[in-house]
């Protein structure tokens, strides 16, 4: 049986399948049809808020089920394994279990606040997994959340949150923290906080970014993000909330970094700015070039520009301390090692150069396995290894002691890797255009 936007159901006999009859019971679009596991019945649901039951062998209509029960379009349905019940999900924010023989609702869950219409809580899909004995039902809402329900239980078991769009930024808690926190941001402005052992995420609540999250950085005193809504925001990952008010960056942010003495450094398309407690402290304008990426520690701010230059600034005054010789390709990612001894610079041609900050000479030039722009670099706590990700979809882990040695994961994210970070000394995380957060076990390090 098939359902269509023309409100008709077509019943086929087969195989080979041939047209048998056409049925018109619905008044609007049909969103779902499903046979019971034993094949004796078929149910259809649609935008007209109606549910119809049919004979599974002939296609003849048997009954309308629950007229007027759902107050919004019904988007999904699924049968129980015993073919006696089925479940539906609706735009009225409810999931209902039905007794197929009696034609009555026997349990209802409503998502969202009681008495309040919430578009993100529209239930757009539902499945009753076969082969389970615990009565598990999983519903999908318009926000992309998965709600785990159990027949006979009034409240959900759990709700799984995550990203639905390209993940554009990621950070773990600062290397001085004992317990890392994984925080990610996406192109729709959503920021999630992840519990690494369980793999579950929660949204950061409060006034979030309204656009593309371009960078996230973590420090012992908090986590900071910048987005294309031209704002700098701070958050408390443990409480899962944004803190304070958003600070205007007066331009499209390209990156954010922190110093351990309380300064937050932001690069935009036209300037570098420092903030403290949400208030702008200093700003230096760039007239003939535009910053592309930034990193910082207590002693320096490193800024890469689109003309290939690399500038070393004083974090307190933002005065230029040194101009490093260009690498021949635009620098697209920067990362300082935790001990401050090395600065890794990833370029648009896929090569990574590592500078010794003592003299700003290139200490390592053999990290060159990426075949497209390097998007992210992160050092481990000891500063002995770095992980990188690129638009070539690959993730590589590099060794300072043996620059020619590497371990890698090709095709880590099919639409390119946008962020990498160390979770612990043997685990790295990556994010990408596929909206996925992945953890990798790193072995055979030298």
């Amino acid at each position: 049986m098939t359902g269509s936007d023309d409100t008709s159901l077509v019943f086929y006999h087969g195989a080979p399948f041939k047209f048998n009859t056409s049925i018109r019971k619905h008044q609007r679009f049909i969103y779902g049809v499903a046979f019971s596991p034993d094949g004796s019945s078929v149910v259809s649901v649609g935008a007209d808020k109606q549910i119809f039951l049919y004979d599974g062998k002939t296609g003849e209509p048997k009954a309308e089920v629950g007229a007027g029960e759902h107050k919004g379009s019904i988007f999904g349905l699924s049968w129980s394994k015993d073919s006696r019940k089925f479940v539906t999900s609706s735009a009225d924010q409810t999931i209902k279990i039905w007794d197929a023989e009696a034609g009555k609702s026997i349990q209802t869950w409503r998502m969202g606040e009681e008495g309040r219409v919430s578009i993100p809580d529209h239930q757009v899909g539902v499945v009753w997994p076969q082969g389970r004995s615990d009565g598990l039902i999983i519903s999908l809402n318009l926000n992309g959340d998965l709600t785990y329900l159990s027949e006979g239980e009034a409240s959900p078991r759990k709700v799984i949150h995550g990203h639905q769009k390209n993940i554009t930024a990621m950070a773990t808690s600062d290397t001085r923290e004992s317990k890392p926190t994984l925080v990610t941001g996406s192109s729709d402005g959503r920021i999630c906080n992840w519990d690494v052992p369980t793999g579950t995420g929660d949204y950061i609540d409060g006034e979030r970014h309204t656009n593309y999250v371009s960078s996230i950085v973590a420090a012992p005193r908090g986590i900071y993000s910048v987005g294309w809504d031209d704002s700098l925001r701070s958050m408390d990952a443990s409480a899962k909330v944004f803190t304070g008010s958003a600070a205007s960056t007066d331009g499209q942010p390209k990156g954010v970094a922190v110093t351990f003495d309380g300064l937050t450094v932001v690069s935009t398309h036209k300037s570098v700015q420092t903030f403290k407690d949400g208030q702008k402290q200093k700003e230096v304008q760039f007239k003939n070039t535009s910053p592309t990426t930034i990193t910082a520690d207590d002693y320096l701010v490193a800024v890469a520009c689109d003309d290939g230059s690399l500038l070393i600034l004083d974090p307190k005054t933002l005065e230029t301390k040194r101009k490093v010789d260009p690498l021949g390709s635009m620098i697209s990612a920067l990362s300082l090692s935790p001990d401050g001894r090395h600065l890794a610079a990833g370029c648009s041609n896929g090569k990574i150069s590592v500078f010794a900050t003592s003299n700003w000479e290139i200490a390592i030039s053999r990290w060159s396995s990426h075949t497209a722009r390097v998007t992210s670099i992160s050092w481990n706590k000891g500063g002995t290894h770095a992980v990188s990700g690129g638009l070539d979809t690959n993730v590589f882990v590099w060794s300072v002691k043996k620059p020619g040695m590497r371990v890698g994961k090709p095709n880590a994210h099919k639409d390119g890797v946008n962020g990498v970070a160390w979770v612990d000394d043997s685990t790295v995380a990556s994010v990408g255009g596929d909206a996925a957060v992945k953890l990798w076990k790193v072995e055979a390090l030298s």
Side-chain angles (χ1 to χ4, degrees), residues 312 405 419:
I312 308 303
M405 300 293 291

Side-chain angles (χ1 to χ4, degrees), residues 139-211:
S139 181
L140 172 70
N141 70 11
L142 193 60
N143 206 38
D145 304 327
L146 294 173
T147 302
Y148 283 55
L149 307 160
S150 287
E151 183 183 5
E153 296 182 9
S155 300
R157 286 190 193 177
K158 62 180 178 179
V159 180
I160 296 179
H161 305 289
H163 292 284
Q164 307 304 310
K165 301 289 185 180
N166 174 19
I167 301 178
T168 53
M170 176 175 62
T172 54
S173 61
D174 185 82
T175 52
R176 296 184 184 181
E177 290 282 278
S178 59
K179 184 179 179 181
T181 298
L182 189 61
V183 181
T184 56
S186 54
S187 59
D188 58 356
R190 178 180 295 180
I191 294 182
C192 291
N193 178 77
W194 298 89
D195 180 77
V196 174
T198 64
T200 57
D202 287 298
Y203 302 133
I204 301 295
D205 291 329
E207 187 180 349
R208 73 178 200 184
H209 290 286
T210 59
N211 211 320

Side-chain angles (χ1 to χ4, degrees), residues 196-269:
V196 174
T198 64
T200 57
D202 287 298
Y203 302 133
I204 301 295
D205 291 329
E207 187 180 349
R208 73 178 200 184
H209 290 286
T210 59
N211 211 320
Y212 188 104
V213 178
S214 54
S215 185
I216 301 175
V217 67
R221 65 186 181 277
I223 297 175
Y224 301 87
S225 62
V226 290
W228 285 3
D229 53 3
D230 297 353
S231 71
L232 165 69
R233 298 175 187 271
S234 61
M235 66 197 84
D236 182 336
S238 60
K240 303 181 181 66
V241 295
F242 287 101
T243 57
S245 300
S248 173
T249 59
D250 298 325
Q252 187 179 89
K254 296 297 185 70
V256 61
V258 292
T259 66
F260 291 118
D261 61 356
L263 285 176
T264 305
V265 190
V266 176
S267 64
T268 72
H269 71 289

Side-chain angles (χ1 to χ4, degrees), residues 14 89 273 355 380 400 422:
S89 60
Q273 309 162 24
F355 293 92
N380 67 347
V400 173
W422 289 86

Side-chain angles (χ1 to χ4, degrees), residues 48-365:
D48 54 6
K49 314 170 193 175
Q50 293 180 293
I51 305 169
F52 291 101
L53 189 66
Y54 310 86
D55 185 276
K57 292 181 172 53
T58 66
E60 290 295 320
K62 293 168 63 176
E64 180 178 359
V65 177
E69 288 267 359
H70 275 302
K71 308 302 180 184
S73 296
I74 306 171
F75 291 115
L77 78 152
S78 182
W79 283 88
S80 64
K81 63 180 180 180
D82 61 8
S83 299
R84 297 173 60 187
K85 293 168 284 189
F86 61 90
V87 61
T88 55
S89 60
S90 170
D92 62 8
Q93 303 171 219
T94 66
I95 302 101
K96 291 178 179 287
I97 296 178
W98 304 87
D99 183 311
E101 184 176 351
K104 293 181 179 181
S105 172
I106 57 177
Q107 186 166 0
T108 299
W109 295 274
R110 188 184 188 280
M111 302 296 111
E113 295 181 23
E114 191 64 39
R116 179 176 175 268
V117 175
S118 172
I119 292 176
D121 285 308
H122 286 192
Q123 303 300 307
V124 296
V126 68
V127 63
W128 202 328
Q130 305 296 308
R132 298 182 65 104
S133 59
D134 57 358
L136 175 68
I137 295 169
I138 305 174
S139 181
L140 172 70
N141 70 11
L142 193 60
N143 206 38
D145 304 327
L146 294 173
T147 302
Y148 283 55
L149 307 160
S150 287
E151 183 183 5
E153 296 182 9
S155 300
R157 286 190 193 177
K158 62 180 178 179
V159 180
I160 296 179
H161 305 289
H163 292 284
Q164 307 304 310
K165 301 289 185 180
N166 174 19
I167 301 178
T168 53
M170 176 175 62
T172 54
S173 61
D174 185 82
T175 52
R176 296 184 184 181
E177 290 282 278
S178 59
K179 184 179 179 181
T181 298
L182 189 61
V183 181
T184 56
S186 54
S187 59
D188 58 356
R190 178 180 295 180
I191 294 182
C192 291
N193 178 77
W194 298 89
D195 180 77
V196 174
T198 64
T200 57
D202 287 298
Y203 302 133
I204 301 295
D205 291 329
E207 187 180 349
R208 73 178 200 184
H209 290 286
T210 59
N211 211 320
Y212 188 104
V213 178
S214 54
S215 185
I216 301 175
V217 67
R221 65 186 181 277
I223 297 175
Y224 301 87
S225 62
V226 290
W228 285 3
D229 53 3
D230 297 353
S231 71
L232 165 69
R233 298 175 187 271
S234 61
M235 66 197 84
D236 182 336
S238 60
K240 303 181 181 66
V241 295
F242 287 101
T243 57
S245 300
S248 173
T249 59
D250 298 325
Q252 187 179 89
K254 296 297 185 70
V256 61
V258 292
T259 66
F260 291 118
D261 61 356
L263 285 176
T264 305
V265 190
V266 176
S267 64
T268 72
H269 71 289
K270 61 181 180 180
S271 70
V272 172
Q273 309 162 24
T274 57
F275 293 82
K276 191 167 186 177
D277 299 326
Q279 300 298 315
K280 187 183 294 186
Q281 304 296 305
K282 297 283 185 180
E283 181 175 12
V284 59
Q285 296 283 337
F286 288 70
K287 293 183 180 180
N288 300 317
T289 187
S290 177
T292 57
T293 185
I294 192 171
T295 189
D297 64 10
D298 282 350
Y299 308 104
L300 64 88
V301 175
V303 183
C305 299
D306 59 5
D307 61 359
S309 62
L310 175 60
L311 303 178
I312 308 303
L313 310 180
D314 183 280
K316 292 183 173 61
T317 65
L318 294 184
E319 294 179 355
T320 301
K321 298 169 60 176
R322 187 181 184 103
K323 186 172 182 179
V324 182
D325 293 336
L327 293 175
S329 182
M330 187 184 76
I331 298 173
S332 51
L334 288 173
S335 182
L336 275 163
S337 62
D339 58 13
R341 295 175 57 191
H342 294 105
L343 173 66
C347 297
S348 58
N349 62 4
K351 294 184 178 180
I352 300 172
S353 297
V354 180
F355 293 92
T357 57
S358 58
N359 56 15
W360 294 107
E361 296 293 329
I362 294 179
I364 301 173
S365 60

